[in-house]
Amino acid sequence: MPKNATDALPRDPRPVRAARGGLLVAPLLGPAMVAGVAYLDPGNVAANMTAGAAFGYLLVWVVVTGNVMAWLIQYLSAKLGIVTGQSLPEALGRRFRSRSTRYGYWLQAEGVAMATDVAEVIGGAVALHLLFDLPLIVGGLITGVVSMLLLVLQSERGAKPFERVITGLMLVIAVGFCAGLVIGPPDPAEAAAGLVPMFDGAESVLLAASILGATVMPHAIYAHSALTRDRFGLVEAGVERRLVLRATKVDVTIALAIAGTVNVVILLLAAANLEGVEGTESLEGAHAALGSALGEPVALLFAIGLLASGLASTSVGAYAGAEIMRGLLHVKIPLLVRRAITITPALLLLVIGVDPTLALVLSQVVLSFGIPFALIPLVRLTADRALMGSAVNARLTTALAILAAGLLIALNVTLLVLVATGA
């Protein structure tokens, strides 16, 4: 088995040479756009739509704050892959001396991958049901098959074609979710007022925690380090590394600006047009409410955006799940088997008829457990001079990363407590 994906797919130096020769970063962009799709999955759509419908513009600041923190976290993940030539799971798999520790960490990470698939496969299934009236289980199978085909594309053709497909789906997501804002625009003054941090009771705190829990996802952290490794390999210290890291900052900024804008738009769309409307806590209910308030074309575009969201995000989730297995277990597992393992719980939930909205909520709770296991090692590794060399985090960067990690973990614990107590 190759030590990592770059052994099987040697890095093409031409984009770096072209960028270096022309002092441009454009040839080096792409990995963050793929990782950024994780911030536009059906869980985000449901959380932001519910927040806007229930509390209007109140929680705009939560979406913005989550994306600011996500920028730093995703950049650190990308930097780890560039500087070490290893993904986060791979780096941890090499550091864990005990087999039981490695397998224990893998079990929780695999649970995260499965929970990710629950939200994303169910989101795709719901979209196909809305668009073509397909049974949810059929929609789930189609979503799973498409994600596997995209994994095959990445495995056989390399990082660049995979990036192009996911970026294309990201544009469809943006159009699908933002179109309604043209017909039902928000109130600018109220939207600006939503940037001031405040809550309105326990339910708003629960929704804020849900938004942040659906924003910074463990699988996005695992995936981004692997994506930069697959694209650039190990980049030695010097001019080339500085160029790649500079391009990565631009890449992360563009990707999260798009993802953050779309997430804010979803909340604003609901706040302007669906506030107080019953049933908008479910994807089907939000779709029906949009159709009633803004017309069927807007509802159709919403469903198309939701389908693109499910297909793109489950592909990235499947990529992360494959990397988790490869990096931690040190065994070669066939692509079909890896995909079958992570998608099975989502399909089982559809088969037994679990309410899709309930499944989405429960998946976010499970993901909350995985946040510390991804964030704490990421901050620790990128602050390790022996591992990172001259690219080690500055003290301020580490302090901000610790602050962001602590805040996210605290809010996810709050989410778990509120869900457990039924607040």
Side-chain angles (χ1 to χ4, degrees):
M1 176 186 176
K3 292 180 182 178
N4 56 50
T6 57
D7 293 333
L9 296 167
R11 175 169 64 91
D12 183 354
R14 289 174 295 178
V16 176
R17 289 173 183 167
R20 184 175 177 182
L23 299 179
L24 300 173
V25 298
L28 306 178
L29 305 182
M33 295 296 286
V34 177
V37 164
Y39 295 86
L40 292 172
D41 77 345
N44 289 89
V45 177
N48 292 321
M49 188 69 70
T50 301
F55 291 100
Y57 303 95
L58 180 71
L59 300 179
V60 171
W61 67 273
V62 178
V63 181
V64 174
T65 301
N67 275 270
V68 170
M69 290 190 292
W71 187 97
L72 177 59
I73 292 165
Q74 292 305 137
Y75 173 68
L76 293 183
S77 176
K79 182 171 75 167
L80 179 69
I82 292 165
V83 173
T84 67
Q86 302 170 32
S87 67
L88 178 58
E90 198 173 13
L92 292 175
R94 293 183 180 187
R95 286 189 164 224
F96 291 151
R97 301 301 180 188
S98 165
R99 184 173 181 179
S100 60
T101 301
R102 185 155 47 85
Y103 272 72
Y105 188 94
W106 168 75
L107 282 174
Q108 67 79 28
E110 196 63 40
V112 164
M114 291 178 180
T116 299
D117 255 337
V118 166
E120 295 164 352
V121 170
I122 286 179
V126 169
L128 288 168
H129 174 70
L130 294 174
L131 288 168
F132 306 110
D133 200 29
L134 292 177
L136 289 176
I137 183 60
V138 175
L141 286 169
I142 291 172
T143 304
V145 169
V146 171
S147 67
M148 190 175 69
L149 292 175
L150 287 174
L151 268 184
V152 171
L153 173 69
Q154 193 277 339
S155 177
E156 298 296 327
R157 300 291 299 276
K160 198 66 177 175
F162 184 61
E163 290 171 7
R164 291 193 187 104
V165 172
I166 298 300
T167 300
L169 287 171
M170 195 173 192
L171 293 176
V172 174
I173 294 168
V175 172
F177 291 144
C178 295
L181 215 61
V182 177
I183 299 175
D187 181 286
E190 291 190 39
L195 293 172
V196 179
M198 63 179 65
F199 294 106
D200 183 15
E203 187 182 352
S204 67
V205 177
L206 175 61
L207 273 172
S210 298
I211 291 170
L212 287 174
T215 298
V216 180
M217 295 286 203
H219 76 284
I221 300 172
Y222 296 130
H224 205 165
S225 57
L227 288 163
T228 52
R229 178 208 62 195
D230 287 353
R231 172 72 99 83
F232 304 115
L234 170 62
V235 184
E236 300 291 345
V239 175
E240 184 175 310
R241 180 193 284 177
R242 288 195 296 273
L243 175 61
V244 173
L245 289 175
R246 179 159 59 89
T248 297
K249 289 180 181 178
V250 175
D251 197 22
V252 174
T253 300
I254 294 172
L256 289 183
I258 294 172
T261 299
V262 174
N263 278 314
V264 170
V265 164
I266 293 170
L267 191 150
L268 294 179
L269 182 66
N273 301 283
L274 305 181
E275 187 173 5
V277 177
E278 294 292 328
T280 51
E281 68 278 0
S282 71
L283 293 172
E284 300 96 322
H287 172 265
L290 284 173
S292 298
L294 300 177
E296 287 305 315
V298 171
L300 175 63
L301 287 172
F302 175 84
I304 292 172
L306 180 62
L307 176 59
S309 168
L311 293 177
S313 57
T314 196
S315 300
V316 177
Y319 173 86
E323 182 57 37
I324 288 167
M325 285 189 176
R326 178 169 53 193
L328 291 168
L329 297 189
H330 298 167
V331 293
K332 187 174 183 179
I333 301 174
L335 179 65
L336 184 60
V337 175
R338 291 200 305 258
R339 190 68 191 108
I341 290 173
T342 54
I343 200 174
T344 296
L347 295 179
L348 285 176
L349 289 174
L350 292 175
V351 167
I352 63 178
V354 172
D355 177 66
T357 301
L358 175 62
L360 279 171
V361 171
L362 292 177
S363 72
Q364 303 308 303
V365 174
V366 172
L367 286 171
S368 299
F369 286 102
I371 289 286
F373 293 97
L375 274 181
I376 294 173
L378 175 68
V379 176
R380 176 68 185 86
L381 289 174
T382 53
D384 184 350
R385 184 171 294 277
L387 178 68
M388 301 295 289
S390 60
V392 67
N393 293 344
R395 289 182 180 178
L396 178 59
T397 301
T398 298
L400 290 173
I402 291 172
L403 178 63
L407 181 59
L408 284 166
I409 291 168
L411 283 169
N412 276 283
V413 170
T414 301
L415 171 62
L416 295 175
V417 171
L418 290 173
V419 170
T421 58

